[in-house]
Each structure stands twice: as structure tokens, then as C-alpha cells.
Amino acid sequence: GFIDVPVVTDIGDPLASSVGMYLVEVTAYLEFENITVTDMVPVTFNANGGVFDDGSEEKVLEIPYNEGFTSYVEPPTKDEYVFDGWFDESGEYVNGIFSRSGMEVYAGWVGIDYNLILDANGGEFYDGNTHLEHVIPYNEPIYDIINETLPTKIGCVFTGWMNSETGEVYSEQLNFMPGCDLYLEAVWANIIYSAEWYVEGEPVAVQEYIYGERIQPPVPEKEGYVFYGWTQEEGSDITVDIENMTMPACDISLYAVFAPCDDTQYIVETYMMNADGEYEPTDTVVCIGMTDYEVEYIPPEMEGFELNEENSILSGTLVGDGTLVLRVFYDRNKYVVTFDDTYETISDEYYYGAEITEPEIPEKVGFVFEDWIDSDGNPVQFPYAMPAEDVTFTAVFSICDYT
């Protein structure tokens, strides 16, 4: 803001450009004169992505040196941004002209603030919240904000975000804040879990469910047993409430629990020796008992017979399919028949119930044979069934009458 004038000495004389050597001390002073600046400086205004009111993106204006910009140029506009002043190439804020050589300035912009709302959509974020809200300027990076706050949901895997207004699903994370409020809902994919069902250690069914789905169990059957329920611990009889059970967030195995029936059938067969010494089936009885328990049959005593314990099967463990068979064998006893005709005694063995035929008629001099009688004096009727005891038959004679 000043111009040059000649240098003068302390006595007021101008100092020559070449003064040489003097023997006297000289003090020189530099004098200045004030001037009125009328220099105009060219300034380039760059809208930096915006536009001026005439639609241009750049203006070059002559502005007096050392004056501000406000009264010379209207600020540009830019969608979704607010004008924040003028800045030089280095990003320093400037508000006036401080160089006669001219300069270029750039519009600074600040994005408009919008709301970013994240909805866990049935899940939750790390702090237990179901919603997170952020205020973010337009076009500011939001990748890290969204990526660091992914929600979780039991039984599901996070697959992306959905714009709740447009329904658009973003399988990849968004990078920058759009020029509007953004409401994002978490998108979930159900994890498929398996339920495997076992009966007697063997898998009988494999089903697939999602978390929380009502389980539909198979109905197992086992002969001789009543189905009691399902347990998650093999070998345990502690059952789960299967009617109200829903699928947990993991694979599961369930094992059938059975209770033994108390009306399982088994058979008792009876074999009796005939009079020829051979066994014949004579009776079959259906009995009931509790599955897996030991059963025992106590055979009754039979007249003329004796239990054959060696051949008989009188006990066993009752199996659920009712195939247990117990067998009872009776041996037929033998008894002695004695015929006494006073002259001689003849004895022989017969099986109980065997048919005894009448022997030859005995002879006795001077007598006539009348009959055979038993020990009680009763006449014997032949054929005679062998009783369950030894018997003696005695011949009865009468005296002959001679004429």
C-alpha cells in the first residue's frame, strides 16, 4: 500500500546513488508516501462439484486487492450439501485477496445430516438393543458403522440389510450415506438343524427343523413294550416334554424309552407219556406276564405220572414278541400186577392206565374156577386199566360136585 521515494540524509538532501566517502557522519532515512490502492486482482471461484446461480461451475472475477469475497460472489449450491466457505488448494480457509498475482479458491461443502437407523429385526446388537440410531452427513462413509454393529439372532445367520422403504436387499455393506434418512432392517436366513430319532440304538428317522419350530416326533413300536417317551440321553428314563418341545439352535438326538408290558403272552405246553412209553402233547396253556421278567411255571401233580425235570423247561425270561414257550414233560409210572391162583404167582409191570387182559384160566383139581377178585374181594372186570398202584388179583375156585 506504499510507493518508493528517494532516500534522504539527516539534513534533508537526497542521497545520491553513489555518494563516495565522506569524512562526516551521515544518517540516511527511508521515506514512504501513502497511496490509494485501485489494483484489481483476478480471482477464480471453483464451485467444486456445485453450481452457481447461472448454472456455471466456475467464475473468474476482478476483485480489489485486500477485500473480502462476500459482496462480490453469491455462494454456489450443491444437492445434499451446505456451503461451508472458500478454501485454497491446500484446504485452508480464505476470505479475502492477499496477493496481486491472483488466486483460485474452491467451494467447501458439508453434507446434510440424515438419520441412519438399524433394526435388528428380531435379533439384537452387542449391547442388547434391538435398534441403533446414527446421525450422519450425506455421502459420509458408513461402511464401518454398519459392519461393526452386525446383530445376531438365535438360529439364524445374518445375510445383509434391507431398505425398509424400498425393499431392496443389500447383500454387501453400503459404503456412503445417501441423501435421505435410511432405515435398514436385518435380513436373516434360518439355519437348518437336524433331529435324529433312535429306537433300540438304531436310527429310525432324521428330520430337519428351523430354530423354534414345533417338533413332530415319530411314534415308535416295540413288541411287548409300551412307548413311554423320548429322552435326549441314551440309556436314561428321564423323558422330555415332547408335545411342547421346539427345536433348539443345535442338532439333537432323541432316544425312545419303553416300559415293559404286563400282559405279554407266553405258552406252556404239556407232554405226557402214553402207555407205549412215548410223549404226546396233551395241553397248551396261554399265560401272561411282564416283558423282560423271569417267569416260572409250577406244574401240577398228576396221578400216575411223575414230572420229568430233565426234559422240562419250567422258567425263562419273557420276551416282548411272545415267543417264549415253556414245556412240561410227564413220565408215566409203572406198577406191578400180580395174579395168584394158589398154585403159582405171576407178576408183571404195566404203565399206569395200560390195559390188563385176563390171563389163562387157572386149573385146580377138584375145583372149578369162578373169577378173579381184587384185594377188596370185588370181581375184576377185564380188560382192566392199570391203576396208580400195585394190585394183586386172586383166583376164586368152587368145589366140584360129582354124581
Side-chain angles (χ1 to χ4, degrees), residues 278-299:
E278 297 178 352
Y279 293 104
E280 293 178 343
T282 58
D283 192 18
T284 299
V285 178
V286 177
C287 304
I288 59 173
M290 184 169 288
T291 304
D292 287 339
Y293 281 74
E294 187 83 7
V295 293
E296 182 179 6
Y297 180 75
I298 301 176

Side-chain angles (χ1 to χ4, degrees), residues 312-380:
S312 297
I313 302 174
L314 302 179
S315 63
T317 300
L318 187 54
V319 292
D321 59 5
T323 57
L324 176 65
V325 177
L326 302 183
R327 292 182 174 87
V328 183
F329 287 86
Y330 286 101
D331 289 340
R332 188 177 292 263
N333 294 333
K334 284 184 175 183
Y335 299 97
V336 176
V337 176
T338 301
F339 290 91
D340 184 0
D341 63 1
T342 68
Y343 285 104
E344 61 178 341
T345 300
I346 300 174
S347 297
D348 200 358
E349 284 187 333
Y350 288 85
Y351 281 114
Y352 167 73
E355 186 178 273
I356 302 172
T357 58
E358 185 175 6
E360 292 183 1
I361 297 174
E363 294 181 357
K364 185 178 181 180
V365 177
F367 291 87
V368 176
F369 175 76
E370 295 287 342
D371 208 347
W372 294 98
I373 60 174
D374 59 22
S375 57
D376 293 329
N378 298 315
V380 179

Side-chain angles (χ1 to χ4, degrees), residues 94-373:
V94 293
N95 60 0
I97 305 302
F98 303 107
S99 170
R100 283 194 178 90
S101 62
M103 61 189 303
E104 183 173 5
V105 292
Y106 302 86
W109 303 104
V110 176
I112 298 175
D113 288 340
Y114 291 101
N115 295 315
L116 172 62
I117 301 174
L118 303 177
D119 183 348
N121 190 23
E124 62 179 29
F125 295 95
Y126 65 93
D127 56 1
N129 288 325
T130 58
H131 293 74
L132 294 179
E133 297 187 12
H134 302 273
V135 177
I136 301 177
Y138 169 72
N139 210 36
E140 285 294 306
I142 60 174
Y143 176 86
D144 289 342
I145 295 176
I146 296 177
N147 190 54
E148 292 174 358
T149 55
L150 292 180
T152 58
K153 185 179 180 181
I154 296 176
C156 297
V157 61
F158 177 82
T159 61
W161 294 103
M162 181 183 70
N163 189 317
S164 63
E165 294 184 0
T166 65
E168 182 180 1
V169 176
Y170 307 101
S171 58
E172 297 181 358
Q173 298 294 345
L174 298 173
N175 290 322
F176 300 98
M177 188 67 190
C180 61
D181 290 339
L182 187 60
Y183 193 109
L184 299 178
E185 293 183 2
V187 179
W188 303 103
N190 289 316
I191 300 174
I192 304 300
Y193 299 102
S194 65
E196 192 163 6
W197 309 86
Y198 290 84
V199 175
E200 294 299 292
E202 296 295 328
V204 295
V206 177
Q207 299 170 335
E208 292 185 340
Y209 295 96
I210 62 174
Y211 170 74
E213 188 176 1
R214 179 65 65 83
I215 288 177
Q216 301 295 329
V219 180
E221 294 183 355
K222 183 181 178 183
E223 282 188 299
Y225 296 84
V226 176
F227 175 64
Y228 187 68
W230 294 98
T231 181
Q232 290 185 270
E233 296 182 18
E234 188 173 9
S236 173
D237 58 358
I238 300 176
T239 58
V240 298
D241 183 9
I242 200 69
E243 291 184 359
N244 298 307
M245 185 176 180
T246 57
M247 193 67 188
C250 61
D251 295 335
I252 58 174
S253 297
L254 295 109
Y255 305 89
V257 178
F258 294 95
C261 291
D262 60 0
D263 60 353
T264 302
Q265 295 184 348
Y266 65 98
I267 295 173
V268 178
E269 297 176 344
T270 300
Y271 296 83
M272 303 186 75
M273 182 183 290
N274 59 25
D276 295 325
E278 297 178 352
Y279 293 104
E280 293 178 343
T282 58
D283 192 18
T284 299
V285 178
V286 177
C287 304
I288 59 173
M290 184 169 288
T291 304
D292 287 339
Y293 281 74
E294 187 83 7
V295 293
E296 182 179 6
Y297 180 75
I298 301 176
E301 292 185 359
M302 304 290 289
E303 184 180 31
F305 291 87
E306 184 175 347
L307 178 66
N308 186 327
E309 295 184 4
E310 183 177 353
N311 290 341
S312 297
I313 302 174
L314 302 179
S315 63
T317 300
L318 187 54
V319 292
D321 59 5
T323 57
L324 176 65
V325 177
L326 302 183
R327 292 182 174 87
V328 183
F329 287 86
Y330 286 101
D331 289 340
R332 188 177 292 263
N333 294 333
K334 284 184 175 183
Y335 299 97
V336 176
V337 176
T338 301
F339 290 91
D340 184 0
D341 63 1
T342 68
Y343 285 104
E344 61 178 341
T345 300
I346 300 174
S347 297
D348 200 358
E349 284 187 333
Y350 288 85
Y351 281 114
Y352 167 73
E355 186 178 273
I356 302 172
T357 58
E358 185 175 6
E360 292 183 1
I361 297 174
E363 294 181 357
K364 185 178 181 180
V365 177
F367 291 87
V368 176
F369 175 76
E370 295 287 342
D371 208 347
W372 294 98
I373 60 174

